[in-house]
Amino acid sequence: MGCHCQMLWLVLASVMVATVEGCDPGDLKGLASFRGGIHMDTSGRLAKWAGRGCCRWQGVACNNRTGRVTEVHLPGFISTTDFVFQSQMEGWLSPSITLLTSLEVLDLGGLVGLSGRIPTSIGRLENLKKLYLYGNKLTGPVPDTIGKLLKLEELHLHENRLSGFLPPAIGCLKNLNVLLLHSNGFTGNIPGSFSNLTNLMHLDLHSNSLSGRIPENVGELQLLEEFDLSENFFTGEIPVSVNNLTSISVMYLDTNHLEGEIPFPSNYGVMPMLGFLRLQNNQLSGKIPPNFGYLVSLQRVSLENNKLQGEIPSSLGNLQALTELYLGGNELSGVIPKSIGRLSRLIMLSLSGNSIQGPLPDEMSALQNLQTLDLSFNSLNLSSIPRWLAELPSLSRILLAGCGIEGQIPDLLRLTPSPIQELDLSANYLIGGIPAWMGNLTQLYSLNLSRNHLSSSIPASVVGFEVLGVLDLHSNNLTGSLEHVFKIGTSFPGGSLTYIDLSDNSLTSGIDQIGVGTLERLEYLNLSHNLLEGQLPTSVAKSTALKCLDLSYNKLGFGLVEGLANLSNLETLKLQRNHFTGGIPVEFLNLKNLKDLDLSNNLLVGEIPAGKPLSDFPQSCFTGNRGLCGKPLSPCKS
Ligand SMILES: *[C@@H]1O[C@H](CO)[C@@H](O)[C@H](O)[C@H]1NC(C)=O
Ligand SMILES: *[C@@H]1O[C@H](CO)[C@@H](O)[C@H](O)[C@H]1NC(C)=O
Ligand SMILES: *[C@@H]1O[C@H](CO)[C@@H](O)[C@H](O)[C@H]1NC(C)=O
Ligand SMILES: *[C@@H]1O[C@H](CO)[C@@H](O)[C@H](O)[C@H]1NC(C)=O
Ligand SMILES: *[C@@H]1O[C@H](CO)[C@@H](O)[C@H](O)[C@H]1NC(C)=O
Ligand SMILES: *[C@@H]1O[C@H](CO)[C@@H](O)[C@H](O)[C@H]1NC(C)=O
Ligand SMILES: *[C@@H]1O[C@H](CO)[C@@H](O)[C@H](O)[C@H]1NC(C)=O
Ligand SMILES: *[C@@H]1O[C@H](CO)[C@@H](O)[C@H](O)[C@H]1NC(C)=O
Ligand SMILES: *[C@@H]1O[C@H](CO)[C@@H](O)[C@H](O)[C@H]1NC(C)=O
């Protein structure tokens, strides 16, 4: 109700004002051209632009003395006290927008369908303080003339490279994100004229296709507080002049092709406000500078996935404000410095995938706030988990894959001060069984014990995992029945499990119990390379979210149940090397999303149901059966 009245009032107001108040002719022409370029506006704002009183139009503001338009404010995301709304505009950004020569604020952010370029005439908008053209479909270069906007304080051109996610093309490559580019966003270099913009405080160009080097003179932007060039194609070194950015608090240069050494801070007191730093996913080399400890305001830092070498400098212990430190995926060596124990605010520490050696310094026991510790895949040779680690008061995510841990799953983990939520002890040398007490880890949502030498049955107590989402026990020597796994998380609506990998073990039974619990969220089930016998029950049809089902290399028999055809999200179905008999149910033609199929080496007979998707797969998916025929194999003899 209130909303309708307000709109009516606005329409009336603009009609009334039109008769008494004009609009600068240049401004009016600019706005009309802008509107002319837009052929769809789901917000309905432009439709209400009537008459000549442009100062009363929605999203337009004027200087009440000069009558000139000073603000055009039409963001895609509309939030009022009454409602929140993501609107869209389809169309083209008219270059005539630069006729509005008194503009101070131009906000066309988040209008997903807006294409076009930044007009070279942008330099005319000499009064512009804020330019928001982010989250659109704009392309082309950032024109050199932008260097004429000497009053510019905020420039947001980020996220014009639009990306969506395609379903993975092959198999169950669960983590493969295939980028679908709808728009490349801005291309070309950062123009040299940028150094003119000495009033700039916020510069955000992330997620475009910009390339070339970061200008050497970027340090001249003395007021710059937020600087984001991430997710572009920048090359070359980080300019030394960043040391001159005395106001910088956020610097994100991650996910580019930057190389060379980290050139800052050159000294104590340089970049004194830098709190948030991301340099991950580049090719930076050399050592982490010993001066890094001078960046005393740092709160969150990621240097992950570079080529950094050498030891972690002990000066890092000076970063008293640090809460998150990501150094994984480099070539760091040496031992963890004792000074790390001084990082009393640290919540997250990831050093995975380096060549760091043991032993761990006892000083780490002082990390009272540490919640996540990831030391996976280093040269730590821990042999056992230190007692102090299990006693860290806040620790709930323990990631110690490939750390050379030997012996049984340690009792230490039985009573940790904070309930364990994530435990990864994969790729170690664990022996013995999965202890019954583990079922008491009721908060666990991810358990990875894969690639060890565990050799027990799966205890009934696993039903205690009330919220478990991910269970990976592959490549052990687990025996007996897997039935208890299907009872995990059943009190959770729809079941809690999304991922089960028990492949490459010696499990023999329990597949018939797959329907006992709800597995409506399950997307990945891999039971391949076991000794499973019996029949796949029709109740498998209840796991409607399944994308990947791998039962290959077992001794499963009987017919292929039609229930499999109910799994309409299935992308991968691997049933090869079993003893399945009978024909392929015609219902399999319903598996429209199937991209990877293997039914080879079973005892199947009869005609392969004709049509997609079955006919699209190569012969090798059907060979080695008792008597299959029809496309793609040779025709059936009638
Ligand atoms: C004109 O705008 C200024 C600043 O926005 C404001 O302070 C002033 O009250 C306005 N004057 C009139 C007559 O509306
Ligand atoms: C930089 O600013 C000066 C005025 O200070 C102006 O004359 C010059 O054209 C600008 N440079 C560029 C490349 O826009
Ligand atoms: C940093 O600024 C100082 C003085 O403002 C200047 O002398 C120096 O050349 C600048 N350094 C870099 C690397 O731009
Ligand atoms: C780690 O321990 C294994 C044996 O447990 C040994 O073969 C290896 O050399 C050790 N590596 C290091 C770096 O100490
Ligand atoms: C479990 O750990 C193994 C080995 O470290 C790894 O390859 C696998 O991806 C992990 N599983 C999950 C579900 O992340
Ligand atoms: C699990 O915890 C309960 C209550 O804390 C305790 O009685 C039980 O013995 C524990 N079970 C195991 C197997 O440790
Ligand atoms: C797995 O366990 C079974 C039964 O305990 C044993 O016979 C077999 O040798 C084990 N296999 C491996 C590879 O350790
Ligand atoms: C299932 O597990 C086996 C053995 O661990 C592995 O080789 C296979 O790639 C997995 N299947 C799928 C579809 O991920
Ligand atoms: C499978 O789908 C068929 C047809 O859509 C339906 O009749 C049947 O009840 C479904 N089976 C299960 C177990 O959901």
Side-chain angles (χ1 to χ4, degrees), residues 414-415 435-440 461:
R414 193 167 176 165
L415 282 174
W437 59 257
M438 281 202 99
N440 270 3
S461 68

Side-chain angles (χ1 to χ4, degrees), residues 92-379:
W92 184 261
L93 176 61
S94 167
S96 300
I97 194 79
T98 61
L99 291 172
L100 301 156
T101 51
S102 291
L103 265 191
E104 292 168 18
V105 178
L106 178 57
D107 180 0
L108 301 175
L111 300 169
V112 200
L114 185 66
S115 56
R117 293 166 165 249
I118 300 181
T120 46
S121 52
I122 191 87
R124 285 194 209 164
L125 303 183
E126 286 175 352
N127 293 303
L128 209 56
K129 290 185 184 147
K130 298 178 183 178
L131 179 58
Y132 302 118
L133 294 174
Y134 63 88
N136 296 314
K137 235 168 37 180
L138 298 172
T139 52
V142 179
D144 195 45
T145 45
I146 206 146
K148 297 206 169 118
L149 309 181
L150 301 180
K151 295 183 184 164
L152 207 57
E153 293 167 3
E154 297 190 16
L155 180 58
H156 293 259
L157 305 180
H158 53 277
E159 290 177 282
N160 276 283
R161 177 162 50 130
L162 299 183
S163 51
F165 292 103
L166 274 180
I170 4 153
C172 298
L173 301 174
K174 185 172 166 281
N175 297 318
L176 184 77
N177 296 327
V178 182
L179 284 178
L180 171 65
L181 302 180
H182 302 292
S183 160
N184 290 328
F186 296 114
T187 49
N189 296 355
I190 295 183
S193 64
F194 251 76
S195 56
N196 255 7
L197 305 178
T198 50
N199 285 304
L200 213 52
M201 292 188 285
H202 297 175
L203 174 57
D204 192 347
L205 303 177
H206 84 262
S207 298
N208 281 291
S209 300
L210 295 164
S211 56
R213 302 174 75 97
I214 302 173
E216 210 56 54
N217 51 12
V218 65
E220 288 170 28
L221 306 180
Q222 292 283 303
L223 301 183
L224 203 57
E225 293 168 6
E226 297 182 15
F227 182 38
D228 189 347
L229 302 184
S230 59
E231 298 185 42
N232 279 288
F233 302 107
F234 290 111
T235 51
E237 300 188 359
I238 300 173
V240 181
S241 73
V242 295
N243 281 298
N244 269 2
L245 296 172
T246 47
S247 311
I248 198 86
S249 79
V250 177
M251 185 155 86
Y252 295 159
L253 306 179
D254 61 277
T255 322
N256 279 292
H257 303 299
L258 300 173
E259 55 190 30
E261 300 196 1
I262 298 173
F264 61 87
S266 59
N267 229 317
Y268 183 77
V270 147
M271 308 171 95
M273 264 111 69
L274 187 61
F276 304 91
L277 175 65
R278 293 195 202 147
L279 300 176
Q280 74 268 22
N281 306 328
N282 280 294
Q283 281 112 48
L284 299 170
S285 55
K287 295 186 168 188
I288 299 175
N291 280 353
F292 223 68
Y294 289 154
L295 297 171
V296 290
S297 298
L298 277 181
Q299 293 177 47
R300 290 209 286 263
V301 183
S302 177
L303 306 180
E304 279 192 339
N305 302 322
N306 280 290
K307 294 178 181 167
L308 298 169
Q309 293 177 329
E311 300 195 5
I312 299 171
S314 62
S315 69
L316 281 194
N318 296 336
L319 303 178
Q320 293 296 305
L322 204 60
T323 57
E324 294 176 34
L325 178 60
Y326 300 85
L327 300 178
N330 281 290
E331 297 158 17
L332 299 170
S333 54
V335 294
I336 299 175
K338 292 180 171 27
S339 62
I340 204 150
R342 305 215 311 269
L343 301 177
S344 57
R345 299 210 178 137
L346 204 61
I347 291 171
M348 162 82 211
L349 176 61
S350 173
L351 303 176
S352 66
N354 281 290
S355 303
I356 292 165
Q357 289 164 7
L360 299 176
D362 288 341
E363 285 77 2
M364 286 178 79
S365 62
L367 298 173
Q368 301 287 301
N369 285 303
L370 197 66
Q371 293 173 10
T372 305
L373 177 62
D374 188 354
L375 300 176
S376 300
F377 298 109
N378 276 287
S379 310

Side-chain angles (χ1 to χ4, degrees), residues 313-527:
S314 62
S315 69
L316 281 194
N318 296 336
L319 303 178
Q320 293 296 305
L322 204 60
T323 57
E324 294 176 34
L325 178 60
Y326 300 85
L327 300 178
N330 281 290
E331 297 158 17
L332 299 170
S333 54
V335 294
I336 299 175
K338 292 180 171 27
S339 62
I340 204 150
R342 305 215 311 269
L343 301 177
S344 57
R345 299 210 178 137
L346 204 61
I347 291 171
M348 162 82 211
L349 176 61
S350 173
L351 303 176
S352 66
N354 281 290
S355 303
I356 292 165
Q357 289 164 7
L360 299 176
D362 288 341
E363 285 77 2
M364 286 178 79
S365 62
L367 298 173
Q368 301 287 301
N369 285 303
L370 197 66
Q371 293 173 10
T372 305
L373 177 62
D374 188 354
L375 300 176
S376 300
F377 298 109
N378 276 287
S379 310
L380 284 167
N381 263 17
L382 290 184
S383 302
S384 61
I385 298 178
R387 175 163 294 278
W388 59 258
L389 194 152
E391 288 170 356
L392 285 173
S394 308
L395 197 64
S396 60
R397 283 177 288 272
I398 303 173
L399 307 163
L400 298 172
C403 283
I405 300 168
E406 298 163 358
Q408 311 224 347
I409 294 175
D411 259 6
L412 286 175
L413 300 175
R414 193 167 176 165
L415 282 174
T416 52
S418 285
I420 299 179
Q421 295 176 355
E422 188 173 355
L423 181 63
D424 184 353
L425 299 178
S426 63
N428 281 297
Y429 308 110
L430 296 171
I431 55 169
I434 297 176
W437 59 257
M438 281 202 99
N440 270 3
L441 304 178
T442 53
Q443 303 297 303
L444 205 58
Y445 70 73
S446 177
L447 176 63
N448 194 343
L449 300 174
S450 67
R451 295 173 52 198
N452 279 289
H453 305 298
L454 298 171
S455 59
S456 65
S457 55
I458 299 172
S461 68
V462 294
V463 301
F465 297 144
E466 290 169 12
V467 295
L468 194 72
V470 175
L471 178 64
D472 191 346
L473 303 177
H474 84 264
S475 298
N476 279 287
N477 193 17
L478 299 171
T479 54
S481 172
L482 54 83
E483 61 185 313
H484 302 303
V485 168
F486 296 132
K487 294 178 196 155
I488 290 173
T490 47
S491 55
F492 203 82
S496 63
L497 284 163
T498 62
Y499 187 102
I500 302 175
D501 191 349
L502 301 177
S503 66
D504 192 18
N505 278 291
S506 302
L507 297 163
T508 48
S509 63
I511 186 101
D512 53 317
Q513 300 294 305
I514 194 167
V516 295
T518 28
L519 291 171
E520 285 169 22
R521 290 166 199 270
L522 190 64
E523 293 183 16
Y524 183 95
L525 177 59
N526 194 344
L527 304 176

